[in-house]
């Protein structure tokens, strides 16, 4: 189960993770998240195809219902007929109400998923900021150190050339400065060696996909909403052609709803497989792509007492070298500067460099510490596996309700349409318990005469 | 305007911040967030009272409408009467639909506000975790250093008592160890001096209030929803007593809606005043309550290149002391241990202490760096001023829509009720364009005979 400090897989992740994963040969496959493996892809496609099965069942039901309604209409007795007529409009209204509830849930789910994915991209951008800050800080510091070695330390060596003990001190300082630069360069190269490590590109990619996903769902939700409203309108105003159009559109949205449900089911199960043990997958993938040392990855992914900071040795060495530089400079200032006043400026410059490097060093220690990057990692996981997952489940519910209501609508609308036709033939044959009952012009005469 | 890196006041914050603030004497007061000042409190109460004015206007409108409806009912001509009858049910239905839309917006706003406040408490708990980690790390390290000074360094001094140069080295080491302990204690005391700094208690308090706020809104939303459903039911089934009950309940919910709108308006403007310049207020309040050094607060609130780390001097001193300890131990190991093999164990223990302290030191540098705490601060601001503010504005819209729709309902329901009474007297006097038209039993006979 879950591993990271601060992130625990939720119970719905656990339940979805337990869903049996079978390939196309109906063999159970491993439920570890492995989207690159064909057997795992098959398992997800298999789950998605369940929605296809539901679609097939609903289509069969619709066919059976409509055939029964066409062929057996005349055989029913009066009482059941009156019941059915009552039923038709109410089932349309119930379908519309269920669909509206589904749309509300869908809007919420879409917003939640968007929040979750936004959290992921935000965390990735944060991690990217940390990594580029490390790189920038190291390159700035190394540049500063190199410039000091090239100019001021060389000048100091020339100034002190007559006194061997001071030259030795300067050479020691130069060695220490070079050692610090070397350590820092090595620390930076840990992150950037071999391949590119670019959370920012990943964030942009995720953002790009999410933008289209969000838009697609918004369009689907608006389509559903418009169909609901126009269905109500067509029933209320008894506009035949609108009922026919709505029936056809409802049928296509029915296909779309089952399709999106399949997609969401596969996504939810895939996400639950990822979320139940994200560390192993993230570790493997990051290492495979970026070729970073596994110790470093482990340090940032776990970030607990058991894993030592892989940079600690190098940081300690740099820290000691900086202390030694300080001692050397202190000695030079006390002993050499009174004898060589021209050296004072250079010593002050080197001291300034030391101060800046010490400040940068503290900042680098903070950036390299696992807390920041680990928090980004945990926040991303929480965004994806809490908000994102929750959103997907709400969208799944929306698709299901939408599919149910459009099945009901496709069944009911042709019957409603038939009733309109009957009414055109005979005004007396009308349904008084219909909640959408105009015929105003005819009745007003009667009503006005009675008052 | 906004100051913090990563947080910018949004445009709606800016607009709300520009709302004129006047006290009870109609004098303009400063729009800086100062909830403890009576003039500022007056300005917020004044804004809240606008909702009271709206309530008064809506009550007057309802009264005028109902009086006109009671007194002038007989004077209208047939055509306008038929129009009005048609109007009554449709205005009830429109009110219910607007109310339902408002409820949807309200649920979303409540959820957004909750998300924002959750973000605030999460960030506060994170900050608390960082502060307690600093405290724990310092106390652990100081304890470790003290124990080493008390036991191993004392034993080493006894072992080397015959050799002055080694004793001097040991005493130097002891001094450096004590210096490190001293620096660390001072760093820790910066945070905890004088008063208690307890983000956790604040988080719990905020959470406690938010739980009740959330629950109150959920209950209000559910109440609105139930009233909508029962109003529809009462109209559809023409249940007189239910219409009367719904009219009375709608009236009370109308009062509640305007009340909550006043509260939300004051909250939104107060929040916008806070969010337009949070740094100054947070800085003043934190300093007043906790008595923390302003430099430290400035460092964490700004966290940019211009503000130097206030702990840098102390950290550098500790770092140099640790390097000196390392040199001393290295010297002892090389020179003294071969002559005094019994000292080896103690030297190893002290070296172990040095390693642990260096590790802790790196961790402490990371914890003290402004990045972590500043990120918590910015996240809390974003939660409060983006999500929280947005949520409050949606709730404001919900209250407004709810108040509007209940005003319409209170106007329309008594008329609908009157129509039911008329129908009881004369079945012919009925409204055929009413979307809720039962009378099934009577009409079924007619309908069945016609088919």
């Amino acid at each position: 189960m879950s591993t990271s400090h601060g992130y625990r897989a939720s119970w719905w992740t656990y339940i979805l993770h337990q869903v049996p994963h079978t390939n196309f040969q109906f063999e159970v496959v491993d439920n570890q998240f492995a989207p690159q493996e064909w057997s795992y892809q098959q398992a997800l496609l298999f789950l998605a195809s369940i929605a296809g099965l539901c679609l097939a069942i609903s289509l069969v039901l619709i066919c059976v219902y409509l055939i029964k309604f066409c062929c057996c209409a005349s055989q029913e007795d009066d009482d059941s007929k009156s019941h059915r007529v009552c039923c038709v409009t109410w089932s349309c209204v119930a379908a519309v109400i269920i669909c509206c509830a589904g749309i509300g849930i869908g809007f919420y789910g879409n917003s939640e998923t968007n929040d979750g994915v936004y959290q992921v991209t935000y965390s990735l951008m944060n991690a990217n900021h940390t990594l580029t800050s490390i790189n920038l800080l190291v390159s700035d510091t190394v540049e500063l150190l190199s410039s000091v070695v090239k100019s001021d330390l060389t000048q100091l060596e020339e100034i002190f050339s007559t006194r061997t003990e001071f030259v030795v001190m300067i050479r020691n300082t130069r060695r220490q400065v070079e050692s610090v630069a070397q350590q820092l360069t090595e620390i930076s190269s840990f992150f950037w060696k071999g391949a590119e490590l670019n959370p920012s590109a990943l964030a942009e990619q995720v953002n790009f996909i999410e933008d289209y996903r969000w838009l697609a769902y918004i369009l689907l939700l608006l389509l559903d909403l418009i169909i609901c409203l126009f269905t109500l309108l067509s029933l209320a105003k008894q506009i035949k052609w609108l009922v026919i159009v709505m029936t056809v559109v409802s049928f296509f949205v029915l296909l779309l709803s089952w399709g999106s449900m399949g997609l969401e089911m596969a996504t939810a199960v895939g996400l639950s497989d990822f979320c139940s043990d994200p560390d192993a997958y993230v570790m493997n993938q990051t290492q495979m792509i970026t070729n970073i040392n596994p110790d470093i990855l482990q340090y940032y992914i776990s970030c607990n007492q058991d894993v030592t900071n892989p940079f600690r040795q190098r940081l300690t060495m740099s820290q000691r070298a900086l202390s030694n530089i300080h001692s050397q400079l202190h000695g030079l200032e006390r002993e050499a500067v009174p004898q060589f006043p021209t050296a004072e400026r250079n010593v002050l410059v080197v001291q300034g460099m030391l101060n800046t490097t010490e400040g940068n060093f503290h900042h680098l220690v903070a950036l390299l510490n696992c807390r920041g990057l680990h928090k980004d990692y945990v926040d991303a996981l929480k965004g994806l596996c809490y908000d994102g997952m929750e959103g997907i489940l709400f969208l799944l519910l929306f698709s299901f309700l939408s599919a149910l209501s459009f099945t009901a609508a496709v069944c009911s609308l042709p019957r409603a349409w038939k009733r309109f036709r009957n009414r055109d033939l005979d005004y007396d044959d009308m349904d008084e318990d219909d909640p959408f009952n105009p015929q105003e012009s005819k009745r007003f005469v009667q009503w006005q005469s009675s008052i």
Side-chain angles (χ1 to χ4, degrees), chain A:
Chain A
M1 282 297 294
S2 171
T3 51
S4 293
H5 168 78
Y7 166 75
R8 286 270 167 285
S10 48
W11 58 266
W12 58 83
T13 297
Y14 184 72
I15 289 171
L16 283 172
H17 184 52
Q18 300 302 319
V19 166
H21 291 51
T22 45
N23 62 12
F24 292 161
Q25 287 80 43
F26 297 96
E27 294 160 356
V28 173
V29 298
D30 192 25
N31 63 358
Q32 291 305 305
F33 186 64
Q36 67 284 356
E37 280 175 23
W38 176 227
S39 63
Y40 185 78
Q41 288 169 4
Q42 279 181 22
L44 291 189
L45 286 172
F46 192 90
L47 283 167
S49 66
I50 290 175
L53 189 72
C54 290
L55 168 65
I57 292 171
S58 71
L59 288 181
V60 168
L61 279 178
I62 291 170
C63 285
V64 168
Y65 181 82
L66 290 183
I67 290 166
K68 189 160 169 272
F69 150 66
C70 291
C71 306
C72 318
S74 57
Q75 291 163 15
E76 43 192 19
D77 60 9
D78 284 350
D79 191 47
S80 76
K81 196 168 181 179
S82 73
H83 259 285
R84 282 185 185 238
V85 170
C86 153
C87 208
V88 170
T89 316
W90 280 115
S91 62
C92 279
V93 172
V96 166
I97 289 175
I98 291 173
C99 189
C100 285
I103 289 167
I105 292 170
F107 269 107
Y108 184 74
N110 201 28
S111 162
E112 277 290 297
T113 311
N114 196 250
D115 281 0
V117 177
Y118 169 75
Q119 180 63 54
V120 173
T121 55
Y122 179 70
S123 300
L124 282 171
M125 294 305 283
N126 253 333
N128 189 61
H129 180 67
T130 305
L131 292 174
T132 45
S133 297
I134 291 172
N135 206 25
L136 207 69
L137 197 63
V138 166
S139 64
D140 281 0
T141 312
V142 168
E143 202 176 313
L144 176 72
L145 295 175
S146 309
S147 76
V148 165
V149 166
K150 271 186 199 145
S151 62
D152 296 283
L153 286 180
T154 312
Q155 283 173 27
L156 279 175
E157 217 175 313
E158 283 165 11
I159 293 168
F160 297 141
S161 56
T162 50
R163 295 284 294 270
T164 329
E165 71 271 32
F166 295 152
V167 171
V168 169
M169 280 166 99
I170 290 293
R171 285 196 180 153
N172 261 338
T173 305
R174 177 199 287 264
R175 212 169 35 247
Q176 302 285 359
V177 170
E178 282 169 354
S179 150
V180 171
Q182 174 69 18
Q183 301 288 357
L184 293 183
T185 314
E186 278 174 19
I187 284 172
S188 177
S189 72
F190 266 126
F191 280 109
W192 307 93
K193 81 170 174 201
E196 55 199 86
L197 175 63
N198 202 347
S200 156
L202 181 61
E204 275 168 23
Q205 209 177 331
V206 169
N207 226 9
F208 178 80
I209 296 169
E210 171 60 15
D211 280 352
Y212 282 97
R213 189 207 62 74
W214 182 83
L215 190 67
Y217 268 103
I218 288 289
L219 291 177
L220 182 63
L221 286 160
L222 287 181
L223 181 66
D224 278 20
L225 195 63
I226 288 168
I227 293 173
C228 283
L229 292 179
F230 276 98
T231 303
L232 278 182
L233 183 74
S234 68
L235 288 172
K237 294 276 170 192
Q238 304 204 344
I239 309 167
K240 271 192 209 167
W241 65 266
L242 197 58
V243 172
I244 297 169
V245 169
M246 284 306 117
T247 312
V248 175
V249 177
S250 293
F251 182 76
F252 283 108
V253 175
L254 175 66
L255 301 183
L256 219 60
S257 296
W258 285 120
S260 73
M261 192 178 145
L263 209 65
E264 286 144 12
M265 203 179 272
T267 311
V269 171
L271 200 58
S272 78
D273 292 339
F274 170 77
C275 292
S276 63
D277 183 19
D279 293 0
Y281 181 76
V282 170
M283 180 119 178
N284 279 342
Q285 284 299 303
T286 316
Q287 213 204 321
M288 216 165 71
I289 295 168
T290 61
N291 206 21
I292 286 181
N293 187 337
D295 287 348
I296 296 179
L297 280 178
Q298 188 62 49
Y299 173 64
Y300 288 112
I301 287 175
S302 307
C303 194
N304 57 29
Q305 303 286 331
D306 307 331
V307 186
T308 40
N309 185 340
F311 306 108
R312 187 170 143 188
Q313 189 62 27
R314 284 191 162 72
L315 290 175
T316 306
M317 301 285 276
S318 307
Q319 173 189 318
R320 283 174 191 162
L322 287 175
S323 294
N324 287 340
I325 295 169
H326 170 76
S327 308
Q328 312 270 3
L329 286 180
H330 193 63
L332 277 176
E333 206 181 4
R334 208 176 46 214
E335 292 169 25
V337 171
Q339 298 174 35
F340 298 90
T342 50
E344 193 177 4
R345 199 191 60 81
N346 295 102
V347 171
L348 283 177
V349 169
V350 180
Q351 249 167 357
M353 172 282 292
L354 180 68
N355 275 338
T356 312
T357 308
E358 274 174 339
N360 289 357
F361 177 77
H362 288 159
H363 203 58
L364 185 67
V365 168
L367 288 172
L368 286 173
N369 191 279
C370 64
R371 270 179 67 89
L373 284 172
H374 180 69
K375 188 164 181 292
D376 290 335
Y377 172 66
V378 170
D379 282 351
L381 280 186
K382 282 182 178 173
L384 195 66
C385 298
Y386 292 169
D387 287 353
M389 188 74 172
E390 201 184 311
I392 295 279
L393 290 178
F394 276 116
L395 286 175
L396 189 71
L397 185 59
F398 150 67
S399 293
F400 183 67
L401 289 178
S402 166
L404 275 191
S405 59
F406 283 111
T407 304
V410 170
C411 284
S412 312
L413 282 174
R415 299 203 62 173
W417 177 75
K418 202 188 167 200
R419 287 174 54 227
F420 301 168
R421 200 182 47 187
N422 288 345
R423 285 180 186 186
D424 289 347
L425 298 174
D426 182 3
Y427 271 118
D428 290 334
D429 178 13
M430 74 175 295
D431 172 25
E432 296 301 333
D433 63 345
D434 176 4
F436 302 96
N437 186 358
Q439 313 275 2
E440 296 158 46
S441 50
K442 303 246 165 196
R443 302 291 180 111
F444 258 146
V445 182
Q446 182 191 357
W447 175 76
Q448 283 174 13
S449 66
S450 72
I451 50 176

